[in-house]
Amino acid sequence: MPVAAGPGPAGRGRRKPVRSRVRHGSPSCADYGCTRPECIAAARRDRARRTSELKAGRPARVSSAEASARVRQLQETGLSAADIAEISGVAVTLIRRLLRPAGKQPARIHRATADAILGIPPTSVFRRDRLLPGLTDAGRAAASLQDLAERGWPTSFLAAELDTSTHTVAVIRSRERRRLTLDLDLRIQRLAALLFASQPADHGIAAHRSRRARTAARQRAPLVRSSGLDLAHQPEAES
């Protein structure tokens, strides 16, 4: 397959395939040498998440068995590999590898990849131009999570309250994931309504953690909001 050098000065020693579906704003894009701020920020978040998981004794990679089974289950509902990649944000090439026969699949995958795939409800049905009930636009959830961060609510606290991963909270908040399950959207809105009426200190969150959350939120606010405007002008996001 033809390849093209990554946009960065050295490309980090890797070259990006011409037909790659890796999008700007994902850690993989920065790995190919892209120097866009959103790609570099995504890579930093990804490294920080992996470091945190390792310190907590959680391996960065897990068995691919459960994710592979979910991908096959989704395929049986009518989703293609490209559909699953679009919903989860995972590269389509990896989705196709997970669909290979037993013994030819990758044995282990990143925990974040598994979380993204397992976060897709098995009853999802995708059609060429729109998602039917089960999934919804992530814009409202992204805005709520960003507002909470600006009020000092740490990502780890929100993830625990939502019973999801810090990675999932981060990619929704940064608008890297355009859709999410209706159930998670409802949980985010309910949590936001509860937390907007209280303060982080009321939940035992130390002042320095709140300050760190607010600082990070303010730094990414212009990028997050501009991403929201870009999505709002795309045809499939219009009402």
PDB file of all heavy atoms in Angstrom, residues 68-98:
ATOM      1  N   SER A  68     -13.381  -8.530  20.457  1.00  0.00           N
ATOM      2  CA  SER A  68     -13.592  -9.251  19.199  1.00  0.00           C
ATOM      3  C   SER A  68     -15.000  -9.826  19.137  1.00  0.00           C
ATOM      4  O   SER A  68     -15.679  -9.752  18.099  1.00  0.00           O
ATOM      5  CB  SER A  68     -12.562 -10.374  19.062  1.00  0.00           C
ATOM      6  OG  SER A  68     -12.767 -11.106  17.880  1.00  0.00           O
ATOM      7  N   ALA A  69     -15.460 -10.382  20.260  1.00  0.00           N
ATOM      8  CA  ALA A  69     -16.814 -10.947  20.308  1.00  0.00           C
ATOM      9  C   ALA A  69     -17.858  -9.842  20.101  1.00  0.00           C
ATOM     10  O   ALA A  69     -18.852 -10.041  19.396  1.00  0.00           O
ATOM     11  CB  ALA A  69     -17.036 -11.650  21.646  1.00  0.00           C
ATOM     12  N   ARG A  70     -17.625  -8.656  20.672  1.00  0.00           N
ATOM     13  CA  ARG A  70     -18.571  -7.564  20.516  1.00  0.00           C
ATOM     14  C   ARG A  70     -18.599  -7.076  19.057  1.00  0.00           C
ATOM     15  O   ARG A  70     -19.667  -6.782  18.518  1.00  0.00           O
ATOM     16  CB  ARG A  70     -18.209  -6.410  21.445  1.00  0.00           C
ATOM     17  CG  ARG A  70     -19.075  -5.141  21.274  1.00  0.00           C
ATOM     18  CD  ARG A  70     -20.570  -5.411  21.487  1.00  0.00           C
ATOM     19  NE  ARG A  70     -20.866  -5.922  22.790  1.00  0.00           N
ATOM     20  CZ  ARG A  70     -21.032  -5.184  23.884  1.00  0.00           C
ATOM     21  NH1 ARG A  70     -20.943  -3.876  23.804  1.00  0.00           N
ATOM     22  NH2 ARG A  70     -21.308  -5.751  25.046  1.00  0.00           N
ATOM     23  N   VAL A  71     -17.436  -7.008  18.417  1.00  0.00           N
ATOM     24  CA  VAL A  71     -17.375  -6.578  17.021  1.00  0.00           C
ATOM     25  C   VAL A  71     -18.167  -7.525  16.136  1.00  0.00           C
ATOM     26  O   VAL A  71     -18.928  -7.098  15.252  1.00  0.00           O
ATOM     27  CB  VAL A  71     -15.905  -6.479  16.550  1.00  0.00           C
ATOM     28  CG1 VAL A  71     -15.837  -6.325  15.038  1.00  0.00           C
ATOM     29  CG2 VAL A  71     -15.212  -5.293  17.210  1.00  0.00           C
ATOM     30  N   ARG A  72     -18.041  -8.819  16.383  1.00  0.00           N
ATOM     31  CA  ARG A  72     -18.799  -9.805  15.599  1.00  0.00           C
ATOM     32  C   ARG A  72     -20.298  -9.667  15.871  1.00  0.00           C
ATOM     33  O   ARG A  72     -21.128  -9.794  14.962  1.00  0.00           O
ATOM     34  CB  ARG A  72     -18.321 -11.223  15.929  1.00  0.00           C
ATOM     35  CG  ARG A  72     -16.919 -11.499  15.434  1.00  0.00           C
ATOM     36  CD  ARG A  72     -16.517 -12.960  15.632  1.00  0.00           C
ATOM     37  NE  ARG A  72     -15.190 -13.175  15.098  1.00  0.00           N
ATOM     38  CZ  ARG A  72     -14.913 -13.337  13.806  1.00  0.00           C
ATOM     39  NH1 ARG A  72     -15.910 -13.301  12.926  1.00  0.00           N
ATOM     40  NH2 ARG A  72     -13.685 -13.518  13.379  1.00  0.00           N
ATOM     41  N   GLN A  73     -20.639  -9.423  17.115  1.00  0.00           N
ATOM     42  CA  GLN A  73     -22.043  -9.239  17.489  1.00  0.00           C
ATOM     43  C   GLN A  73     -22.627  -8.020  16.784  1.00  0.00           C
ATOM     44  O   GLN A  73     -23.760  -8.047  16.277  1.00  0.00           O
ATOM     45  CB  GLN A  73     -22.133  -9.087  19.009  1.00  0.00           C
ATOM     46  CG  GLN A  73     -23.545  -9.108  19.571  1.00  0.00           C
ATOM     47  CD  GLN A  73     -23.548  -9.006  21.088  1.00  0.00           C
ATOM     48  OE1 GLN A  73     -22.578  -8.532  21.689  1.00  0.00           O
ATOM     49  NE2 GLN A  73     -24.625  -9.448  21.714  1.00  0.00           N
ATOM     50  N   LEU A  74     -21.845  -6.952  16.735  1.00  0.00           N
ATOM     51  CA  LEU A  74     -22.289  -5.733  16.059  1.00  0.00           C
ATOM     52  C   LEU A  74     -22.434  -5.959  14.562  1.00  0.00           C
ATOM     53  O   LEU A  74     -23.359  -5.445  13.931  1.00  0.00           O
ATOM     54  CB  LEU A  74     -21.300  -4.598  16.329  1.00  0.00           C
ATOM     55  CG  LEU A  74     -21.249  -4.083  17.767  1.00  0.00           C
ATOM     56  CD1 LEU A  74     -20.026  -3.190  17.970  1.00  0.00           C
ATOM     57  CD2 LEU A  74     -22.521  -3.323  18.126  1.00  0.00           C
ATOM     58  N   GLN A  75     -21.538  -6.731  14.003  1.00  0.00           N
ATOM     59  CA  GLN A  75     -21.597  -7.021  12.571  1.00  0.00           C
ATOM     60  C   GLN A  75     -22.877  -7.785  12.235  1.00  0.00           C
ATOM     61  O   GLN A  75     -23.501  -7.553  11.187  1.00  0.00           O
ATOM     62  CB  GLN A  75     -20.372  -7.835  12.159  1.00  0.00           C
ATOM     63  CG  GLN A  75     -20.242  -8.007  10.644  1.00  0.00           C
ATOM     64  CD  GLN A  75     -19.033  -8.833  10.264  1.00  0.00           C
ATOM     65  OE1 GLN A  75     -18.825  -9.927  10.799  1.00  0.00           O
ATOM     66  NE2 GLN A  75     -18.220  -8.318   9.357  1.00  0.00           N
ATOM     67  N   GLU A  76     -23.309  -8.640  13.139  1.00  0.00           N
ATOM     68  CA  GLU A  76     -24.532  -9.420  12.909  1.00  0.00           C
ATOM     69  C   GLU A  76     -25.776  -8.539  12.930  1.00  0.00           C
ATOM     70  O   GLU A  76     -26.814  -8.917  12.379  1.00  0.00           O
ATOM     71  CB  GLU A  76     -24.648 -10.524  13.967  1.00  0.00           C
ATOM     72  CG  GLU A  76     -23.600 -11.627  13.804  1.00  0.00           C
ATOM     73  CD  GLU A  76     -23.615 -12.615  14.960  1.00  0.00           C
ATOM     74  OE1 GLU A  76     -24.445 -12.439  15.889  1.00  0.00           O
ATOM     75  OE2 GLU A  76     -22.811 -13.569  14.947  1.00  0.00           O
ATOM     76  N   THR A  77     -25.693  -7.350  13.561  1.00  0.00           N
ATOM     77  CA  THR A  77     -26.849  -6.444  13.581  1.00  0.00           C
ATOM     78  C   THR A  77     -26.925  -5.579  12.325  1.00  0.00           C
ATOM     79  O   THR A  77     -27.855  -4.803  12.161  1.00  0.00           O
ATOM     80  CB  THR A  77     -26.812  -5.504  14.808  1.00  0.00           C
ATOM     81  OG1 THR A  77     -25.744  -4.552  14.638  1.00  0.00           O
ATOM     82  CG2 THR A  77     -26.611  -6.282  16.099  1.00  0.00           C
ATOM     83  N   GLY A  78     -25.906  -5.696  11.460  1.00  0.00           N
ATOM     84  CA  GLY A  78     -25.919  -4.930  10.219  1.00  0.00           C
ATOM     85  C   GLY A  78     -24.832  -3.886  10.104  1.00  0.00           C
ATOM     86  O   GLY A  78     -24.744  -3.184   9.098  1.00  0.00           O
ATOM     87  N   LEU A  79     -23.980  -3.772  11.126  1.00  0.00           N
ATOM     88  CA  LEU A  79     -22.890  -2.801  11.080  1.00  0.00           C
ATOM     89  C   LEU A  79     -21.719  -3.358  10.277  1.00  0.00           C
ATOM     90  O   LEU A  79     -21.368  -4.528  10.414  1.00  0.00           O
ATOM     91  CB  LEU A  79     -22.410  -2.471  12.494  1.00  0.00           C
ATOM     92  CG  LEU A  79     -23.373  -1.719  13.413  1.00  0.00           C
ATOM     93  CD1 LEU A  79     -22.776  -1.640  14.804  1.00  0.00           C
ATOM     94  CD2 LEU A  79     -23.650  -0.343  12.890  1.00  0.00           C
ATOM     95  N   SER A  80     -21.098  -2.527   9.466  1.00  0.00           N
ATOM     96  CA  SER A  80     -19.875  -2.916   8.767  1.00  0.00           C
ATOM     97  C   SER A  80     -18.679  -2.534   9.628  1.00  0.00           C
ATOM     98  O   SER A  80     -18.824  -1.827  10.633  1.00  0.00           O
ATOM     99  CB  SER A  80     -19.783  -2.197   7.421  1.00  0.00           C
ATOM    100  OG  SER A  80     -19.573  -0.809   7.621  1.00  0.00           O
ATOM    101  N   ALA A  81     -17.485  -2.979   9.232  1.00  0.00           N
ATOM    102  CA  ALA A  81     -16.278  -2.608   9.967  1.00  0.00           C
ATOM    103  C   ALA A  81     -16.108  -1.094   9.984  1.00  0.00           C
ATOM    104  O   ALA A  81     -15.727  -0.504  11.006  1.00  0.00           O
ATOM    105  CB  ALA A  81     -15.057  -3.275   9.340  1.00  0.00           C
ATOM    106  N   ALA A  82     -16.412  -0.437   8.850  1.00  0.00           N
ATOM    107  CA  ALA A  82     -16.300   1.023   8.773  1.00  0.00           C
ATOM    108  C   ALA A  82     -17.305   1.703   9.703  1.00  0.00           C
ATOM    109  O   ALA A  82     -17.005   2.722  10.322  1.00  0.00           O
ATOM    110  CB  ALA A  82     -16.507   1.494   7.336  1.00  0.00           C
ATOM    111  N   ASP A  83     -18.513   1.132   9.809  1.00  0.00           N
ATOM    112  CA  ASP A  83     -19.530   1.684  10.706  1.00  0.00           C
ATOM    113  C   ASP A  83     -19.049   1.630  12.154  1.00  0.00           C
ATOM    114  O   ASP A  83     -19.176   2.598  12.912  1.00  0.00           O
ATOM    115  CB  ASP A  83     -20.832   0.890  10.594  1.00  0.00           C
ATOM    116  CG  ASP A  83     -21.473   0.998   9.213  1.00  0.00           C
ATOM    117  OD1 ASP A  83     -21.221   1.999   8.523  1.00  0.00           O
ATOM    118  OD2 ASP A  83     -22.221   0.073   8.837  1.00  0.00           O
ATOM    119  N   ILE A  84     -18.508   0.473  12.546  1.00  0.00           N
ATOM    120  CA  ILE A  84     -18.043   0.284  13.923  1.00  0.00           C
ATOM    121  C   ILE A  84     -16.891   1.238  14.223  1.00  0.00           C
ATOM    122  O   ILE A  84     -16.808   1.822  15.306  1.00  0.00           O
ATOM    123  CB  ILE A  84     -17.620  -1.173  14.152  1.00  0.00           C
ATOM    124  CG1 ILE A  84     -18.821  -2.110  13.943  1.00  0.00           C
ATOM    125  CG2 ILE A  84     -17.043  -1.370  15.551  1.00  0.00           C
ATOM    126  CD1 ILE A  84     -18.468  -3.587  13.889  1.00  0.00           C
ATOM    127  N   ALA A  85     -16.008   1.414  13.237  1.00  0.00           N
ATOM    128  CA  ALA A  85     -14.889   2.340  13.405  1.00  0.00           C
ATOM    129  C   ALA A  85     -15.393   3.774  13.581  1.00  0.00           C
ATOM    130  O   ALA A  85     -14.899   4.524  14.417  1.00  0.00           O
ATOM    131  CB  ALA A  85     -13.952   2.248  12.198  1.00  0.00           C
ATOM    132  N   GLU A  86     -16.411   4.153  12.809  1.00  0.00           N
ATOM    133  CA  GLU A  86     -16.969   5.513  12.882  1.00  0.00           C
ATOM    134  C   GLU A  86     -17.588   5.780  14.249  1.00  0.00           C
ATOM    135  O   GLU A  86     -17.414   6.846  14.841  1.00  0.00           O
ATOM    136  CB  GLU A  86     -18.023   5.694  11.789  1.00  0.00           C
ATOM    137  CG  GLU A  86     -18.846   6.962  11.889  1.00  0.00           C
ATOM    138  CD  GLU A  86     -18.040   8.228  11.618  1.00  0.00           C
ATOM    139  OE1 GLU A  86     -16.945   8.117  11.031  1.00  0.00           O
ATOM    140  OE2 GLU A  86     -18.509   9.308  12.011  1.00  0.00           O
ATOM    141  N   ILE A  87     -18.318   4.802  14.788  1.00  0.00           N
ATOM    142  CA  ILE A  87     -18.997   4.989  16.067  1.00  0.00           C
ATOM    143  C   ILE A  87     -18.006   5.002  17.227  1.00  0.00           C
ATOM    144  O   ILE A  87     -18.104   5.817  18.145  1.00  0.00           O
ATOM    145  CB  ILE A  87     -20.050   3.884  16.293  1.00  0.00           C
ATOM    146  CG1 ILE A  87     -21.103   3.916  15.195  1.00  0.00           C
ATOM    147  CG2 ILE A  87     -20.714   4.038  17.661  1.00  0.00           C
ATOM    148  CD1 ILE A  87     -22.017   2.711  15.196  1.00  0.00           C
ATOM    149  N   SER A  88     -17.041   4.071  17.191  1.00  0.00           N
ATOM    150  CA  SER A  88     -16.124   3.907  18.323  1.00  0.00           C
ATOM    151  C   SER A  88     -14.930   4.842  18.285  1.00  0.00           C
ATOM    152  O   SER A  88     -14.321   5.127  19.323  1.00  0.00           O
ATOM    153  CB  SER A  88     -15.615   2.463  18.374  1.00  0.00           C
ATOM    154  OG  SER A  88     -14.814   2.170  17.233  1.00  0.00           O
ATOM    155  N   GLY A  89     -14.550   5.296  17.074  1.00  0.00           N
ATOM    156  CA  GLY A  89     -13.349   6.099  16.955  1.00  0.00           C
ATOM    157  C   GLY A  89     -12.092   5.265  16.818  1.00  0.00           C
ATOM    158  O   GLY A  89     -10.981   5.786  16.781  1.00  0.00           O
ATOM    159  N   VAL A  90     -12.246   3.934  16.732  1.00  0.00           N
ATOM    160  CA  VAL A  90     -11.117   3.019  16.568  1.00  0.00           C
ATOM    161  C   VAL A  90     -10.805   2.886  15.071  1.00  0.00           C
ATOM    162  O   VAL A  90     -11.717   2.905  14.240  1.00  0.00           O
ATOM    163  CB  VAL A  90     -11.460   1.631  17.168  1.00  0.00           C
ATOM    164  CG1 VAL A  90     -10.357   0.627  16.892  1.00  0.00           C
ATOM    165  CG2 VAL A  90     -11.696   1.770  18.670  1.00  0.00           C
ATOM    166  N   ALA A  91      -9.534   2.742  14.729  1.00  0.00           N
ATOM    167  CA  ALA A  91      -9.132   2.615  13.332  1.00  0.00           C
ATOM    168  C   ALA A  91      -9.823   1.419  12.678  1.00  0.00           C
ATOM    169  O   ALA A  91      -9.902   0.335  13.262  1.00  0.00           O
ATOM    170  CB  ALA A  91      -7.614   2.463  13.227  1.00  0.00           C
ATOM    171  N   VAL A  92     -10.307   1.602  11.456  1.00  0.00           N
ATOM    172  CA  VAL A  92     -11.036   0.537  10.763  1.00  0.00           C
ATOM    173  C   VAL A  92     -10.144  -0.674  10.519  1.00  0.00           C
ATOM    174  O   VAL A  92     -10.622  -1.816  10.487  1.00  0.00           O
ATOM    175  CB  VAL A  92     -11.640   1.066   9.441  1.00  0.00           C
ATOM    176  CG1 VAL A  92     -10.549   1.373   8.430  1.00  0.00           C
ATOM    177  CG2 VAL A  92     -12.650   0.077   8.865  1.00  0.00           C
ATOM    178  N   THR A  93      -8.832  -0.442  10.347  1.00  0.00           N
ATOM    179  CA  THR A  93      -7.931  -1.578  10.123  1.00  0.00           C
ATOM    180  C   THR A  93      -7.897  -2.514  11.332  1.00  0.00           C
ATOM    181  O   THR A  93      -7.857  -3.736  11.177  1.00  0.00           O
ATOM    182  CB  THR A  93      -6.504  -1.078   9.819  1.00  0.00           C
ATOM    183  OG1 THR A  93      -6.110  -0.145  10.840  1.00  0.00           O
ATOM    184  CG2 THR A  93      -6.446  -0.390   8.475  1.00  0.00           C
ATOM    185  N   LEU A  94      -7.960  -1.945  12.536  1.00  0.00           N
ATOM    186  CA  LEU A  94      -7.963  -2.787  13.732  1.00  0.00           C
ATOM    187  C   LEU A  94      -9.295  -3.520  13.874  1.00  0.00           C
ATOM    188  O   LEU A  94      -9.327  -4.695  14.264  1.00  0.00           O
ATOM    189  CB  LEU A  94      -7.701  -1.935  14.982  1.00  0.00           C
ATOM    190  CG  LEU A  94      -7.712  -2.695  16.319  1.00  0.00           C
ATOM    191  CD1 LEU A  94      -6.762  -3.884  16.280  1.00  0.00           C
ATOM    192  CD2 LEU A  94      -7.346  -1.754  17.454  1.00  0.00           C
ATOM    193  N   ILE A  95     -10.395  -2.843  13.538  1.00  0.00           N
ATOM    194  CA  ILE A  95     -11.695  -3.505  13.589  1.00  0.00           C
ATOM    195  C   ILE A  95     -11.689  -4.719  12.671  1.00  0.00           C
ATOM    196  O   ILE A  95     -12.173  -5.811  13.032  1.00  0.00           O
ATOM    197  CB  ILE A  95     -12.819  -2.529  13.174  1.00  0.00           C
ATOM    198  CG1 ILE A  95     -12.907  -1.337  14.129  1.00  0.00           C
ATOM    199  CG2 ILE A  95     -14.166  -3.264  13.102  1.00  0.00           C
ATOM    200  CD1 ILE A  95     -13.265  -1.688  15.549  1.00  0.00           C
ATOM    201  N   ARG A  96     -11.144  -4.563  11.480  1.00  0.00           N
ATOM    202  CA  ARG A  96     -11.080  -5.687  10.535  1.00  0.00           C
ATOM    203  C   ARG A  96     -10.196  -6.815  11.050  1.00  0.00           C
ATOM    204  O   ARG A  96     -10.481  -7.990  10.821  1.00  0.00           O
ATOM    205  CB  ARG A  96     -10.581  -5.180   9.177  1.00  0.00           C
ATOM    206  CG  ARG A  96     -11.630  -4.341   8.450  1.00  0.00           C
ATOM    207  CD  ARG A  96     -11.074  -3.721   7.199  1.00  0.00           C
ATOM    208  NE  ARG A  96     -12.116  -2.959   6.495  1.00  0.00           N
ATOM    209  CZ  ARG A  96     -11.891  -1.923   5.733  1.00  0.00           C
ATOM    210  NH1 ARG A  96     -10.639  -1.480   5.557  1.00  0.00           N
ATOM    211  NH2 ARG A  96     -12.885  -1.287   5.127  1.00  0.00           N
ATOM    212  N   ARG A  97      -9.130  -6.454  11.749  1.00  0.00           N
ATOM    213  CA  ARG A  97      -8.266  -7.495  12.322  1.00  0.00           C
ATOM    214  C   ARG A  97      -8.998  -8.277  13.410  1.00  0.00           C
ATOM    215  O   ARG A  97      -8.810  -9.478  13.562  1.00  0.00           O
ATOM    216  CB  ARG A  97      -7.000  -6.855  12.884  1.00  0.00           C
ATOM    217  CG  ARG A  97      -6.046  -6.322  11.807  1.00  0.00           C
ATOM    218  CD  ARG A  97      -4.906  -5.531  12.412  1.00  0.00           C
ATOM    219  NE  ARG A  97      -4.063  -6.379  13.262  1.00  0.00           N
ATOM    220  CZ  ARG A  97      -3.200  -5.914  14.150  1.00  0.00           C
ATOM    221  NH1 ARG A  97      -3.106  -4.593  14.337  1.00  0.00           N
ATOM    222  NH2 ARG A  97      -2.472  -6.731  14.861  1.00  0.00           N
ATOM    223  N   LEU A  98      -9.841  -7.582  14.169  1.00  0.00           N
ATOM    224  CA  LEU A  98     -10.613  -8.259  15.220  1.00  0.00           C
ATOM    225  C   LEU A  98     -11.685  -9.179  14.640  1.00  0.00           C
ATOM    226  O   LEU A  98     -12.185 -10.063  15.323  1.00  0.00           O
ATOM    227  CB  LEU A  98     -11.263  -7.221  16.142  1.00  0.00           C
ATOM    228  CG  LEU A  98     -10.304  -6.417  17.032  1.00  0.00           C
ATOM    229  CD1 LEU A  98     -11.040  -5.289  17.738  1.00  0.00           C
ATOM    230  CD2 LEU A  98      -9.628  -7.328  18.050  1.00  0.00           C
TER     231      LEU A  98
END
